[in-house]
Structures are given as C-alpha cells and as structure tokens.
Amino acid sequence: MDLKQVSLTLHEMKIEAKHYKIYKPFGMLSQFHSNAPKEKHKKQFLGELYDFPEGVMPVGRLDEKSEGLLLLTTDGELSYQLNNSGVEKEYWAQLDGSITTEAIDRLSKGVAIGLNGAIYSTKPCEAKILKHEPKLPEASKKLRIGRHRPSSWISIILTEGKFRQVRKMTAAVGFPTLRLIRSRIGTIYLNDLSPGQVEQIIIHSDSF
C-alpha cells in the first residue's frame, strides 16, 4: 500500500467515526467496565444501554448519582479536544432550600472548593435561578428528595469540569445539590431523551 492509499484510508476512517448522545441514568457509571470485582456485579455500565461499536469512548464523565447528557465517540482526537477546549456545559441542579440571589452571585464569581486535598477557586461562570422546574423524568427514589422541604432549581454553565464540581460549588454557598442533570454540551442538547436512551448524532465542526 503506497502513501496515497494510506492517506485515503485514514481519511475514510475519520469520516466513518461514530458519535452518540445518551441520557445517562442515575446510578450508572460513565464507563464500560471495571476491574474491581465488587463493581462488576453491583454497578451499572454504559454497555448495557446499546450495542456500541468497538473503540467508542465517553467524552468526559458524569458521576454515578448525576444524570443527563453524555457524549460518546469513536474519534479519539475529538474526545481529547472536547475535554481540553473549555466548551460550555450546562447543568440543572435541584437544591436543598430556596437559594438566594447573594448565593447565585457568589457562584457566578467563583467559589473555593476542595480538590485533591487542596483548595481550588472555580472560574467565573453563568448561574441563574430557574423560575420553573425543568420538565424531566421522575427522579430516582434513591435520591429521597423530601416533598415537604423547600427546594429550588438553578442553571449553571461551566467551562471546566472538576470532580463533582457543581455539587461542591452549591454546597460551598450553603445549598447542597439534591439532583443534578447535565442538559447541554456546546450546542448539543439533552432535549427530550429518556433515561437510558441512545441517539446516534452527527457532530459538526461548529457544534462546540
């Protein structure tokens, strides 16, 4: 095979990359397997949702107790770019208590959270109170959200993705997160996907 044929083959491989968006359910890990014996039998993994092609990988992660939009791709270069480009990610968070405008202002300017045993100051972000509760599937009963306790919903848009960042940020201003859903990555939205649903998508160069 000559150099021209190799170049063509690589070009064809790039075109054939497959991309998916899913609604990661509450209680599922953002990975396909685990080497820990206990996790293999007690945890849920992405491979249970769909017959994904070989080489597919999640772009970023959502922790086990978070839900919503997760992108998967067979394009390693795209995955690297999205994880390192500061693309916007929007989250809807249901908080314990009625959050104040002062707390929203603090979130927007950045707060100090614990990260890897040190103190980290989060970057400025967009945060606002949602006037109406988002239309979402029923929350998992494992969340034990009190019906008789006041709660509030916020939208928060980050350009970074530290471990459990949203949860740590809302706790830092006195309003722990009860339920967390990622609704958008760049221009790709969760829309009306149901928990566990998988949709193959086309990703354009201007999607992020």
Side-chain angles (χ1 to χ4, degrees):
M1 181 180 293
D2 61 26
L3 184 60
K4 183 176 180 181
Q5 289 175 311
V6 171
S7 177
L8 177 59
T9 301
L10 291 173
H11 179 66
E12 290 172 341
M13 289 172 63
K14 187 75 171 180
I15 292 175
E16 293 175 359
K18 292 182 171 58
H19 316 290
Y20 304 86
K21 70 175 185 178
I22 70 172
Y23 186 131
K24 189 195 83 66
F26 173 91
M28 178 171 283
L29 298 177
S30 296
Q31 58 196 65
F32 284 92
H33 59 82
S34 172
N35 293 324
K38 291 183 179 179
E39 286 192 343
K40 287 182 179 180
H41 302 290
K42 294 184 179 181
K43 301 294 184 180
Q44 295 177 290
F45 299 94
L46 298 175
E48 300 172 28
L49 301 179
Y50 189 79
D51 185 18
F52 292 106
E54 184 178 354
V56 74
M57 66 196 80
V59 180
R61 292 178 181 256
L62 285 172
D63 68 61
E64 185 177 358
K65 294 183 179 180
S66 298
E67 315 163 46
L69 181 62
L70 184 66
L71 300 181
L72 293 90
T73 183
T74 58
D75 188 338
E77 182 180 339
L78 174 65
S79 177
Y80 178 82
Q81 289 175 349
L82 292 183
N83 284 327
N84 295 277
S85 63
V87 62
E88 286 188 350
K89 302 177 184 69
E90 182 173 5
Y91 299 83
W92 295 328
Q94 184 178 12
L95 308 181
D96 187 4
S98 299
I99 192 168
T100 62
T101 55
E102 291 79 9
I104 287 289
D105 186 55
R106 288 179 60 195
L107 288 174
S108 300
K109 292 178 179 177
V111 295
I113 62 173
L115 186 68
N116 300 324
I119 301 299
Y120 175 77
S121 295
T122 62
K123 294 179 180 179
C125 67
E126 294 183 44
K128 65 179 181 181
I129 299 172
L130 295 178
K131 295 181 180 179
H132 304 287
E133 180 177 336
K135 293 183 179 180
L136 293 165
E138 185 177 354
S140 169
K141 294 180 180 179
K142 293 182 179 179
L143 285 173
R144 298 178 181 177
I145 298 173
R147 295 182 179 178
H148 304 293
R149 297 169 58 185
S151 67
S152 51
W153 283 88
I154 66 168
S155 163
I156 185 165
I157 300 174
L158 306 179
T159 55
E160 55 182 341
K162 305 302 182 183
F163 180 66
R164 297 175 65 85
Q165 182 171 344
V166 174
R167 296 181 185 277
K168 291 179 179 180
M169 289 176 69
T170 66
V173 297
F175 297 89
T177 294
L178 301 174
R179 187 182 184 191
L180 184 62
I181 300 97
R182 184 158 63 197
S183 61
R184 175 174 69 87
I185 300 174
T187 61
I188 299 176
Y189 290 79
L190 181 64
N191 291 333
D192 57 354
L193 284 184
S194 301
Q197 188 174 355
V198 178
E199 181 180 318
Q200 187 169 354
I201 61 174
I202 296 173
I203 293 182
H204 301 285
S205 58
D206 59 352
S207 296
F208 309 100

